[in-house]
Amino acid sequence: MALRLPYDAIIERTAGGIPYLVPEVVLLFKAKASRPKDQADFDGVLPLLGRARRDLLGEWLERVHPGHPWLAELAG
């Protein structure tokens, strides 16, 4: 399963202009073979994600990793 997104949809910049990958994309990569540190990252980032980002991550997980345990937490 592939997802294709434009560069400007997945890259944001800090106030100083440093580019970074949006957290929902990073978590999608980490979901493939979730390790304890990936779960810790998910747990730490989830409260910081707005509803739109949570919904987007949930949609991607459904497509790429259906039944992933994070889906229940994203739905809540």
Side-chain angles (χ1 to χ4, degrees):
M1 176 67 55
L3 293 174
R4 301 189 101 206
L5 300 164
Y7 181 84
D8 62 344
I10 62 168
I11 300 295
E12 294 186 351
R13 295 187 180 275
T14 66
I18 298 170
Y20 64 93
L21 197 57
V22 294
E24 57 272 29
V25 171
V26 174
L27 290 172
L28 182 64
F29 282 113
K30 288 175 169 278
K32 181 177 182 179
S34 184
R35 303 162 291 184
K37 67 180 186 174
D38 300 323
Q39 183 65 49
D41 289 344
F42 176 78
D43 293 340
V45 171
L46 186 61
L48 305 174
L49 292 180
R51 176 50 48 198
R53 288 183 188 256
R54 286 178 183 219
D55 290 346
L56 194 53
L57 177 57
E59 290 172 24
W60 292 342
L61 282 172
E62 282 287 350
R63 286 183 63 192
V64 181
H65 306 296
H68 195 283
W70 293 351
L71 287 166
E73 293 181 66
L74 288 166

